[in-house]
Amino acid sequence: MLVLRLLNVVAPAYFLCISLVTFVLQIFVFIPSMFRDPSTTPLFSPALLHGALFLFLSANALGNYVLVIQSSPEDLGKDLNLGKGAEVADWLDGSRSPGSALPSTHFCRLCARVTQRHDHHCFFTGNCIGSRNMRNFIMFCLYTSLACLDSLVAGMAYISATLSMSFADPLAFLTLLPHSISQFFSGALLSSEMFVILMLYLWLGIGLACAGFCCHQMLLILRGQTRYQVRKGMVVRARPWRENLQEVFGKKWLLGLLIPVQNVESNYHRQKEK
């Protein structure tokens, strides 16, 4: 438990550090040093368009990240009937209170909070993912993967121009790291260039992980399930996939896709039951 609590503090700091490094490299290294084409007008220059795209992706990723943290499940626990006296201890053991609002309501030891439609505990946000912040969490994963892909392409272009190498061969990226390490220790490669190369593989790993997690989460939403329900073997009532999507994303899903806003009509299912 002590290790998990430490990870719950270190992981968000690690993510924010990676985000800051990515922002600095993009704004102060990649964009000024690359995509210089004198034939284009300043309004439609590749550097300006690329910078606008990166800022859009970064703003959505960071905005949804903040909303996931702010959408704390703590308030939900106050509205649930957890019973009296020692009933709360049952939540610590993983059992459910008879008065819980939903079968997937769960008490998290790390958060010490009750989460409605509990999915999992995210260490990178230090918060549980449930009914209030599921949509923001998916948008956070989506835009983080896109921002990492954008940074990966920009970084490869920067390395290609700086080291005069081509990535036309698919094996060039795979052999880049071992060749760069040997050149770095031989003094033929600068430390700043080596740092960018290491960041390329970090962006690739984070981007693929976030994309895979986003796809897996969307599959569970289409089925009307949560990871907690799958792990516990809970049987859920079959519903049309459109209703499952609308319960998480709301009717105005396009607004939440373009702008980091909180709970765009995500209470559709509750209103329908009323």
Side-chain angles (χ1 to χ4, degrees):
M1 181 61 65
L2 181 60
V3 176
L4 294 179
R5 292 186 181 277
L6 181 62
L7 182 61
N8 202 41
V9 176
V10 174
Y14 172 77
F15 172 78
L16 293 177
C17 181
I18 295 298
S19 302
L20 180 60
V21 171
T22 302
F23 182 82
V24 171
L25 288 177
Q26 282 272 18
I27 300 300
F28 297 101
V29 179
F30 297 161
I31 295 178
S33 302
M34 301 174 55
F35 309 118
R36 294 177 179 175
D37 188 1
S39 62
T40 59
T41 59
L43 183 60
F44 298 100
S45 62
L48 183 60
L49 295 177
H50 173 76
L53 175 61
F54 173 73
L55 291 178
F56 171 76
L57 298 177
S58 301
N60 275 276
L62 184 59
N64 283 286
Y65 180 80
V66 173
L67 289 177
V68 170
I69 299 176
Q70 287 184 345
S71 302
S72 172
E74 184 177 7
D75 296 333
L76 291 177
K78 299 177 181 179
D79 300 331
L80 298 178
N81 180 19
L82 301 181
K84 298 181 180 180
E87 287 283 343
V88 180
D90 296 336
W91 290 85
L92 295 175
D93 297 331
S95 58
R96 300 194 307 271
S97 171
S100 60
L102 289 175
S104 56
T105 303
H106 177 66
F107 179 85
C108 179
R109 296 167 180 251
L110 296 176
C111 295
R113 301 163 180 167
V114 178
T115 309
Q116 207 165 23
R117 286 194 62 83
H118 176 82
D119 188 85
H120 68 284
H121 181 88
C122 177
F123 289 98
F124 285 98
T125 60
N127 202 0
C128 279
I129 307 301
S131 59
R132 292 186 62 187
N133 53 11
M134 173 60 73
R135 184 186 58 80
N136 293 118
F137 177 74
I138 294 178
M139 291 296 101
F140 160 68
C141 292
L142 174 63
Y143 280 105
T144 299
S145 63
L146 293 178
C148 288
L149 176 62
D150 178 82
S151 301
L152 176 64
V153 173
M156 291 175 62
Y158 173 79
I159 292 298
S160 178
T162 303
L163 303 181
S164 300
M165 62 178 301
S166 176
F167 288 98
D169 186 5
L171 296 178
F173 184 79
L174 298 177
T175 58
L176 176 62
L177 184 59
H179 289 328
S180 301
I181 293 177
S182 61
Q183 292 179 1
F184 175 74
F185 285 105
S186 63
L189 193 66
L190 299 177
S191 58
S192 58
E193 298 170 347
M194 185 63 197
F195 179 75
V196 173
I197 292 174
L198 293 176
M199 289 298 299
L200 293 181
Y201 290 91
L202 185 60
W203 288 325
L204 177 63
I206 296 177
L208 291 178
C210 289
F213 203 93
C214 182
C215 294
H216 175 69
Q217 206 70 44
M218 285 298 301
L219 181 61
L220 292 178
I221 291 176
L222 291 174
R223 296 176 177 176
Q225 294 179 309
T226 63
R227 293 181 61 187
Y228 178 75
Q229 290 174 337
V230 174
R231 188 171 65 251
K232 294 295 183 179
M234 298 179 179
V235 180
V236 297
R237 181 172 60 90
R239 292 188 304 169
W241 62 270
R242 293 181 181 273
E243 292 187 10
N244 296 328
L245 282 179
Q246 199 168 30
E247 182 181 7
V248 175
F249 293 94
K251 296 181 179 179
K252 299 180 180 179
W253 57 270
L254 185 59
L255 179 62
L257 183 63
L258 300 177
I259 304 175
V261 292
Q262 183 176 6
N263 289 337
V264 183
E265 296 186 4
S266 60
N267 57 348
Y268 163 78
H269 186 60
R270 299 178 190 174
Q271 294 177 355
K272 186 176 180 181
E273 289 180 348
K274 292 181 181 181

